[in-house]
Amino acid sequence: MKKTFIILVTLFYLFPGCSTSSTTTEEKEPNKPNYTVDRFAAGLKTNTLPFYLPPNTKLDTIQISDRNKTVVINFSKEFSYIPLRADNVKKFYDDIKQYFGGAYDGYDFTLRSMNIEISELIPNFYRSKSDYDEKRISKSSNKGNVVNNISKPYKPELGLNDRNIVLWHSHGWYYNNELKRWEWQRPRLFQAVEDRIPMSFTLPYLIPMLENAGANVFVPRERDTQINEVVVDNDKNDASYTERGTWTLGKTSGFKLTSSILTVQNPFKLGTYRQTNTSSDETATITYKPQIPEDGYYAVYISYAIESNSASDVEYTVNHSGGKTIFKVDQSKGGGTWMYLGTFKFKKGSNSIEGSVVVSNKSRESGKIVTSDAVRFGGGWGIIEREGQLSGRPKFLEGSRYWLQYAGMPDTLIWDMNKGENDYNDDYQSRGEYANYLKGAPYGPNRERDNQGLNIPIDLSMAFHTDAGITYTDTVVGSLSIYSITDFDRKKNFPDGVSRLANRDLADIVQTEVVNDVRNGFDPIWTRRDLREAQYSESSRPNMPDLLLELLSHQNFLDMRYVYDPQFRFTVSRAIYKGMLKFLSSQYDFEYVVQPLPVDHFSTEFNTAGQILLKWHPVLDKSEPTAAPEKYIVYTRMDDNGFDNGTITSDTFLVVNNIKSDVIYSFKVASINKGGEGFPSEILSVGRTENLNRQAIVVNAFDRVSGPGWVNDSSFSGFVSRLDAGVPDKYDYPLTGMQYDYNLKSDFITNDAPGHGASTAEFENRLIAGNSFDFPYIHGKALLSNGVSFVSSSDESIEDGQITLNNYKMADIICGKEKETLRQKETSTVLYGSRFKLFTEPLKQKINSYTSSGGNLLLTGAFIGTELFNNPRDTNTIKWANDVLKIKYGTPYASITGRVESFSGSKFRRFTDFYFNTTLSEKIYFTENADEITPINGSSTILRYKDNQFSAGTGFKDKYGVIVLGFPFEIITEPTMQNNLMKGIVEYFGL
């Protein structure tokens, strides 16, 4: 007689909380020992098994069938929290089979987690195509961009062209219905707030990367940081709006701007729109000509209505200061809301040639309808009213709930979910439903799946946050990826039947890319946290593949040191973009190519024919072989206008003809390939007078982008911006104010009193300027105004000999706030080295050659003395500074006011006192420290700081000339004073 052993008793005894279904063995032979099962369960509980299982894994059930010779082990969900690949899945099977021993030879083992066999948790992307799980692959091509820039001179055929992505960056400024005030959803910690941190990744990096790959990106928060906004609309009936040809009133409602918008108001239900018929020849246009309040970059949004026979190729022309850019818009999708075209530079005032949007009825499609509603320029300030209060913040800082209302989303997505009584819940619940509404039936909002929505084929969505957590070791909290395999109704499939395991694929691929790239470039022990399945609103509401990424912890000081590093943010954003690309390539079965990295060694010079010769070097991505550049696009700007649409070249150089005198030409270069366009180079400028004999070269040695200075010990820890505020890349997105609580033992009480890391709020209505990588223009403009022609170059091109300083009568080296900058951890600095060293050995050698040949050298920057004299043991560098630059070092804190004066004891030209910027500003970067530069070996003081009469700069002129100023030239606050100072410099050198 055969016996049956009941394992249920053993498992329940060992694991009182475990599942108890299907836990019996069947027909177990008497000589089969069952203690192996008990020993396995006990070892798992006590973490004493002789092989690895994922942390916190528990045992749910073991099912053994002697009749079928099978062993099925069901692990808890925690087993699935690690990335699974073919190799570690095989090892799990091998280790467990070996542990169970010879008594189970010939048995088929099945390992499960979440009731899914673990090999099924391997993403399709990491399998061979023959092993793909077809159930998680879309059956539709799902292609079609709403907005297409037809002025772009390339098409990313193997990128994300025709793909649509919804992406949102965390929380935002919101109205607390209980406290009756507007506030952040998270506390201000370490000079930042989570409501702003993710936007420092998405706005300057991730969204442009996705768009450069060809995607349309939809964001349920305002994406434009421009605080001005101009809306031109047919309902305003003023000179900014003009029609040509036959237009009639639309059939339904359109947008209308009011001074404020109440809780229950939808601005797209308050106005009207216009419509006309298509024509093969243009017979009707509308021109939107805004009154721009000040020079700057403005996002351009359009709106229109969807008709049953809307045209799919409606032409919009944006006239801006860089020229004109033409778009084709598919009006069968995306009506009744704001559709983003792009961001362009506009000049102050009203100008139809350089500041307008024109919509045309010209189309390839006959018998169709063209509609046109309002056009927006800029982001502006929040106008959603809550209980009589406006937010008092620019729109880009507000939460999604308010932008979605301004963008015409249905009440059911915004305030009706919580009856307008809980803005906090409305905000996070609305983000995923926005993605559903964009896509429409049968993927519509979860309360009304049959809502037709806006008919945009959304491919995926992602929520970007920075999770909470603190460590007291030299370890980051790290990256957590969250996904849901069921929706709110516990359905395991999307409306089209595709398995929601696609969510896990996306979450795994993106997290893998992020962790690998961060470990390879910043921190070899960056923590990969869980790949967690959970029912969060932002992971389970979207009815398309979705990911909730908790990148790092805004509560942990080490994590925040990485947040402030722009190079880290670029790397992470590129990793997320690559993860999305790779996921979609497996979803839709296309070959992918990753867009290239930015070029370097960029330089300009005049050739013998007086033309401008541009040269650069490609940069290869060692970790991504597909990212090799194939061609390049060169963008051109004239004077202070915007850039044009670019010129394509297959070479690593370009000759620019027909150069006009007394016009400054500026250039930037980007690599392109079939995957899209890489980020652009620094901007270099060139200007010539009629006579090229007086010619200078401007060298940009200011490459630094970094976070603020910090200290970290057992009693005092945090950012100390007064010592070093760092250098933002273009703008500082996370910053709210200065840290004031440095006590590690200071506990969290409330968001208002968050303890260690608590910070002020004085800067959170604006973005603080950093390194624009456009300063050769400012220096060159001052040179040209004094009759000196100029070219410009990167410092790398000087160091490697691509450009020779000796060909120029004057070399102006921009040092800005360049200084050697350590990494976030000592071990990382040892592995990857420090960054942004100003006076490299190659640069010093080129300066030696230049001065020995009689050249005239200008050095301006905040840390010149600090860099040269900071290490007393480096006697060779100090001697070089004394002998070649003719300078000594005084103090790094020479001026607080930034006021500089000339004086009668100097041979330098006398002029009115001037200021350089010493305060955080949205217009130009500032210096918190200015060096005192003192004379030696024949030099003399030529300028003094007004505060204390310390030496602000020295001059030397004999066999060669050298001027060294202890502050950056480009942050002198008045252009006229820049010109006057440069005039004195040119005269001193005798040019």
Side-chain angles (χ1 to χ4, degrees):
M1 177 179 177
K2 293 185 177 179
K3 296 182 180 179
T4 299
F5 291 89
I6 307 298
I7 300 178
L8 168 61
V9 176
T10 304
L11 291 180
F12 187 76
Y13 173 75
L14 288 171
F15 302 104
C18 75
S19 169
T20 59
S21 62
S22 301
T23 56
T24 62
T25 62
E26 298 176 5
E27 302 180 55
K28 176 170 280 297
E29 298 173 9
N31 61 345
K32 274 281 180 69
N34 68 344
Y35 69 83
T36 302
V37 174
D38 295 345
R39 183 164 57 94
F40 177 72
L44 181 57
K45 182 179 181 182
T46 57
N47 197 28
T48 55
L49 291 173
F51 53 86
Y52 168 82
L53 285 179
N56 302 314
T57 296
K58 299 178 179 63
L59 188 61
D60 282 350
T61 63
I62 297 181
Q63 300 164 303
I64 302 176
S65 172
D66 291 333
R67 175 189 300 165
N68 298 320
K69 291 189 175 296
T70 60
V71 177
V72 179
I73 304 177
N74 290 289
F75 292 107
S76 63
K77 181 187 288 189
E78 286 79 8
F79 187 100
S80 71
Y81 285 1
I82 65 167
L84 291 165
R85 306 289 185 267
D87 55 352
N88 64 349
V89 166
K90 181 178 183 301
K91 184 167 177 55
F92 284 133
Y93 273 97
D94 290 346
D95 287 345
I96 290 175
K97 286 179 181 179
Q98 182 178 358
Y99 186 83
F100 270 70
Y104 291 91
D105 283 350
Y107 279 62
D108 288 330
F109 279 69
T110 301
L111 309 183
R112 295 178 178 271
S113 177
M114 301 187 297
N115 204 33
I116 301 169
E117 195 276 321
I118 63 172
S119 68
E120 292 302 305
L121 298 176
I122 302 173
N124 278 343
F125 179 78
Y126 299 116
R127 308 185 195 187
S128 64
K129 287 188 177 181
S130 60
D131 291 332
Y132 272 16
D133 176 8
E134 299 293 333
K135 296 190 297 294
R136 66 185 78 175
I137 297 177
S138 175
K139 305 301 185 290
S140 167
S141 64
N142 206 45
K143 297 180 70 173
N145 283 0
V146 182
V147 174
N148 292 279
N149 181 348
I150 65 171
S151 294
K152 191 179 289 292
Y154 69 92
K155 188 173 183 177
E157 298 170 351
L158 299 181
L160 294 172
N161 196 54
D162 290 332
R163 298 297 167 195
N164 298 277
I165 293 171
V166 179
L167 172 68
W168 57 91
H169 40 266
S170 188
H171 316 281
W173 189 250
Y174 86 108
Y175 184 73
N176 186 316
N177 304 76
E178 293 184 1
L179 298 180
K180 308 299 181 186
R181 72 174 190 182
W182 289 82
E183 63 181 17
W184 295 120
Q185 297 187 33
R186 296 293 183 263
R188 299 174 179 91
L189 288 171
F190 300 113
Q191 305 190 163
V193 64
E194 188 194 1
D195 306 59
R196 295 185 63 149
I197 291 169
M199 76 168 62
S200 69
F201 293 80
T202 59
L203 293 185
Y205 302 116
L206 178 53
I207 293 174
M209 288 173 183
L210 294 170
E211 291 176 337
N212 285 353
N216 277 180
V217 181
F218 299 87
V219 188
R221 289 180 66 178
E222 175 59 58
R223 62 185 290 169
D224 190 10
T225 60
Q226 170 63 251
I227 62 174
N228 295 305
E229 178 189 30
V230 182
V231 177
V232 182
D233 187 11
N234 61 289
D235 291 307
K236 293 177 70 173
N237 193 27
D238 60 23
S240 63
Y241 175 92
T242 56
E243 293 181 1
R244 182 178 68 85
T246 302
W247 293 84
T248 59
L249 194 64
K251 299 175 183 177
T252 57
S253 60
F255 179 84
K256 184 176 182 180
L257 182 66
T258 57
S259 58
S260 65
I261 299 172
L262 303 179
T263 299
V264 297
Q265 286 182 317
N266 184 333
F268 277 85
K269 303 294 185 183
L270 303 178
T272 63
Y273 65 90
R274 306 289 286 172
Q275 68 178 50
T276 190
N277 295 318
T278 57
S279 173
S280 58
D281 297 316
E282 184 177 88
T283 60
T285 61
I286 297 177
T287 299
Y288 298 83
K289 186 178 67 173
Q291 183 72 35
I292 298 295
E294 61 178 337
D295 290 5
Y297 284 88
Y298 293 75
V300 174
Y301 294 89
I302 60 171
S303 61
Y304 50 87
I306 298 178
E307 299 287 349
S308 59
N309 58 341
S310 289
S312 65
D313 63 345
V314 179
E315 184 174 290
Y316 287 80
T317 300
V318 180
N319 298 300
H320 51 97
S321 65
K324 68 178 181 179
T325 304
I326 301 174
F327 297 86
K328 293 288 188 179
V329 177
D330 183 354
Q331 288 196 346
S332 69
K333 306 177 178 70
T337 188
W338 297 117
M339 296 298 299
Y340 175 75
L341 295 186
T343 298
F344 307 91
K345 187 171 185 180
F346 296 99
K347 295 293 191 69
K348 181 178 179 179
S350 178
N351 186 329
S352 59
I353 297 176
E354 294 188 346
S356 65
V357 172
V358 180
V359 58
S360 168
N361 73 331
K362 183 179 179 180
S363 171
R364 299 185 309 272
E365 303 172 341
S366 61
K368 294 296 184 77
I369 296 294
V370 173
T371 63
S372 192
D373 196 355
V375 175
R376 279 178 70 208
F377 301 81
W381 289 77
I383 61 171
I384 304 297
E385 184 178 311
R386 300 298 285 118
E387 299 186 309
Q389 300 182 48
L390 298 178
S391 73
R393 293 288 190 272
K395 286 193 188 74
F396 79 92
L397 296 178
E398 292 183 334
S400 297
R401 177 247 181 272
Y402 310 104
W403 189 87
L404 292 175
Q405 183 176 355
Y406 188 62
M409 294 298 102
D411 298 344
T412 51
L413 265 64
I414 306 164
W415 63 269
D416 190 49
M417 286 188 289
N418 296 284
K419 307 305 179 186
E421 297 174 356
N422 191 327
D423 284 20
Y424 184 98
N425 288 355
D426 284 343
D427 189 62
Y428 75 78
Q429 291 172 1
S430 66
R431 301 167 198 153
E433 301 293 5
Y434 167 69
N436 296 336
Y437 181 74
L438 291 180
K439 193 163 187 176
Y443 311 89
N446 286 290
R447 290 169 60 180
E448 42 181 350
R449 292 280 183 87
D450 59 348
N451 189 313
Q452 290 303 304
L454 300 186
N455 195 33
I456 300 171
I458 302 299
D459 294 288
L460 63 84
S461 64
M462 190 186 94
F464 195 153
H465 294 268
T466 54
D467 192 26
I470 299 173
T471 70
Y472 294 99
T473 63
D474 196 25
T475 306
V476 294
V477 171
S479 301
L480 169 68
S481 207
I482 299 173
Y483 66 97
S484 298
I485 59 173
T486 60
D487 64 12
F488 267 19
D489 296 325
R490 299 297 175 179
K491 295 177 181 177
K492 295 183 177 181
N493 296 331
F494 293 114
D496 60 357
V498 172
S499 169
R500 285 183 179 260
L501 278 175
N503 287 348
R504 180 183 170 94
D505 282 19
L506 174 61
D508 189 349
I509 296 167
V510 168
Q511 187 186 36
T512 298
E513 292 291 322
V514 168
V515 172
N516 287 350
D517 286 1
V518 171
R519 286 178 179 174
N520 288 336
F522 293 87
D523 185 349
I525 59 170
W526 182 270
T527 304
R528 177 167 187 158
R529 297 173 64 196
D530 298 342
L531 179 59
R532 183 183 300 171
E533 198 282 332
Q535 286 291 306
Y536 285 81
S537 179
E538 291 175 293
S539 64
S540 60
R541 284 183 182 272
N543 292 320
M544 69 286 298
D546 174 72
L547 156 69
L548 195 169
L549 178 65
E550 299 280 9
L551 176 68
L552 41 69
S553 173
H554 56 270
Q555 286 186 291
N556 194 54
F557 182 46
L558 177 56
D559 291 56
M560 286 301 297
R561 301 205 296 263
Y562 285 102
V563 162
Y564 279 107
D565 184 347
Q567 291 184 331
F568 173 83
R569 298 203 300 264
F570 175 91
T571 297
V572 167
S573 300
R574 183 172 169 85
I576 295 171
Y577 142 68
K578 289 191 298 181
M580 291 179 173
L581 173 66
K582 293 175 181 181
F583 168 75
L584 291 175
S585 75
S586 63
Q587 281 295 99
Y588 299 117
D589 191 24
F590 65 85
E591 178 187 356
Y592 72 86
V593 170
V594 173
Q595 62 192 224
L597 289 169
V599 304
D600 65 8
H601 287 75
F602 188 25
S603 66
T604 70
E605 58 185 325
F606 290 114
N607 62 17
T608 55
Q611 302 161 315
I612 300 173
L613 174 62
L614 312 177
K615 294 185 291 185
W616 57 87
H617 290 179
V619 174
L620 299 180
D621 188 339
K622 295 178 181 178
S623 67
E624 197 64 54
T626 70
E630 297 175 351
K631 296 181 181 180
Y632 306 89
I633 182 167
V634 180
Y635 296 96
T636 303
R637 178 183 72 196
M638 296 179 67
D639 289 330
D640 62 348
N641 293 310
F643 282 93
D644 65 9
N645 294 310
T647 300
I648 296 285
T649 177
S650 298
D651 300 311
T652 56
F653 64 89
L654 183 71
V655 176
V656 182
N657 298 297
N658 303 318
I659 302 304
K660 299 178 182 178
S661 298
D662 300 315
V663 173
I664 298 179
Y665 294 83
S666 300
F667 307 95
K668 59 183 179 179
V669 180
S671 302
I672 58 175
N673 61 17
K674 290 182 176 64
E677 177 179 345
F679 267 38
S681 66
E682 62 193 293
I683 301 170
L684 295 182
S685 298
V686 176
R688 61 165 297 171
T689 63
E690 289 292 341
N691 185 355
L692 278 175
N693 289 332
R694 302 175 73 207
Q695 193 175 147
I697 183 169
V698 179
V699 179
N700 183 27
F702 182 20
D703 304 311
R704 182 182 173 217
V705 287
S706 68
W710 49 272
V711 294
N712 189 35
D713 63 31
S714 59
S715 60
F716 190 91
S717 177
F719 294 108
V720 189
S721 292
R722 178 64 191 90
L723 300 178
D724 179 7
V727 184
D729 182 1
K730 312 296 191 303
Y731 292 99
D732 191 339
Y733 288 83
L735 184 67
T736 62
M738 297 296 103
Q739 182 176 342
Y740 62 83
D741 189 330
Y742 294 88
N743 183 0
L744 276 77
K745 297 180 180 179
S746 186
D747 292 330
F748 177 91
I749 301 173
T750 66
N751 277 5
D752 292 0
H756 177 230
S759 303
T760 56
E762 65 270 30
F763 300 116
E764 56 187 38
N765 267 5
R766 50 185 171 153
L767 294 181
I768 301 303
N771 192 341
S772 69
F773 295 91
D774 193 14
F775 299 123
Y777 174 80
I778 296 176
H779 286 241
K781 187 177 180 181
L783 285 164
L784 198 63
S785 72
N786 285 286
V788 179
S789 301
F790 75 97
V791 296
S792 54
S793 171
S794 64
D795 54 345
E796 297 90 355
S797 295
I798 302 299
E799 291 170 343
D800 72 359
Q802 178 175 305
I803 298 294
T804 304
L805 294 178
N806 295 17
N807 294 336
Y808 301 94
K809 294 185 176 180
M810 174 181 166
D812 173 359
I813 300 182
I814 302 172
C815 301
K817 291 178 70 174
E818 191 83 350
K819 72 170 183 177
E820 189 170 15
T821 305
L822 301 179
R823 294 177 181 268
Q824 291 79 7
K825 292 173 30 175
E826 182 178 350
T827 53
S828 295
T829 295
V830 171
L831 283 171
Y832 307 114
S834 61
R835 298 169 290 176
F836 311 120
K837 184 177 179 64
L838 176 53
F839 291 103
T840 63
E841 288 304 316
L843 182 59
K844 287 194 289 185
Q845 292 171 11
K846 301 304 180 184
I847 289 174
N848 289 343
S849 173
Y850 182 61
T851 53
S852 64
S853 67
N856 296 291
L857 179 68
L858 171 64
L859 293 168
T860 63
F863 299 123
I864 294 173
T866 303
E867 281 286 273
L868 290 169
F869 295 88
N870 195 41
N871 184 0
R873 291 176 294 181
D874 188 359
T875 55
N876 289 334
T877 296
I878 292 173
K879 186 176 187 305
W880 179 81
N882 294 159
D883 294 346
V884 178
L885 302 184
K886 310 294 184 182
I887 62 171
K888 292 192 302 182
Y889 183 45
T891 173
Y893 301 100
S895 178
I896 298 298
T897 66
R899 189 173 180 182
V900 179
E901 65 177 3
S902 58
F903 59 100
S904 57
S906 170
K907 298 178 181 179
F908 201 73
R909 160 184 282 271
R910 296 292 302 277
F911 46 78
T912 307
D913 299 355
F914 62 86
Y915 289 86
F916 58 87
N917 186 37
T918 59
T919 59
L920 290 165
S921 165
E922 60 269 35
K923 300 296 184 184
I924 189 75
Y925 80 91
F926 85 115
T927 180
E928 59 281 74
N929 308 324
D931 278 351
E932 179 189 16
I933 303 295
T934 61
I936 191 176
N937 293 334
S939 65
S940 61
T941 294
I942 60 173
L943 296 170
R944 295 193 182 278
Y945 296 115
K946 189 78 169 181
D947 319 36
N948 43 34
Q949 292 299 296
F950 290 176
S951 178
T954 61
F956 171 83
K957 181 63 179 174
D958 192 353
K959 294 181 180 179
Y960 66 91
V962 59
I963 289 176
V964 181
L965 303 182
F967 56 90
F969 176 89
E970 59 273 11
I971 66 172
I972 295 172
T973 55
E974 294 294 331
T976 55
M977 295 312 301
Q978 292 173 345
N979 294 343
N980 288 342
L981 177 57
M982 190 62 76
K983 183 177 181 64
I985 292 168
V986 169
E987 290 176 349
Y988 188 91
F989 287 149
L991 266 65

